[in-house]
């Protein structure tokens, strides 16, 4: 079994995880609010709305963490 790579900077990894969690919660709440309050939609939260909100939150978390990693790699001195 291969050993897991260790992070170079544990503080940065913690910041990245925290930012991912905040992005997930914000996107999930925004998506959930869209389904709850947008005019014209039935104002009933069902399992489809819940699963879609969680999926949007997960996608946003992945995108934000990828953005942070790319930004760090671009600004990291060679």
């Amino acid at each position: 079994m291969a050993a897991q790579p260790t992070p170079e900077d544990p503080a940065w990894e913690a910041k990245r995880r925290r930012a991912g969690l905040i992005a997930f919660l914000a996107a999930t709440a925004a998506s959930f609010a869209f389904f709850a309050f947008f005019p014209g939609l039935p104002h009933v939260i069902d399992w489809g709305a819940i699963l879609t909100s969680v999926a949007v939150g997960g996608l946003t978390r992945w995108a934000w963490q990828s953005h942070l990693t790319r930004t760090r790699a671009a600004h990291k001195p060679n």
Side-chain angles (χ1 to χ4, degrees):
M1 181 179 262
Q4 293 290 330
T6 58
E8 293 177 17
D9 187 3
W12 184 80
E13 285 294 324
K15 179 182 175 183
R16 183 176 172 263
R17 274 194 310 273
R18 195 175 321 114
L21 178 64
I22 291 168
F24 173 80
L25 293 175
T28 301
S31 179
F32 197 69
F34 172 80
F35 284 112
F37 300 113
F38 192 79
L41 292 176
H43 299 294
V44 176
I45 300 299
D46 60 353
W47 283 107
I50 293 169
L51 293 175
T52 301
S53 296
V54 170
V56 167
L59 182 63
T60 303
R61 176 184 180 269
W62 170 78
W64 187 247
Q65 286 186 333
S66 296
H67 170 73
L68 290 177
T69 303
R70 275 194 319 265
T71 303
R72 183 171 191 249
H75 293 281
K76 190 174 184 180
N78 291 333

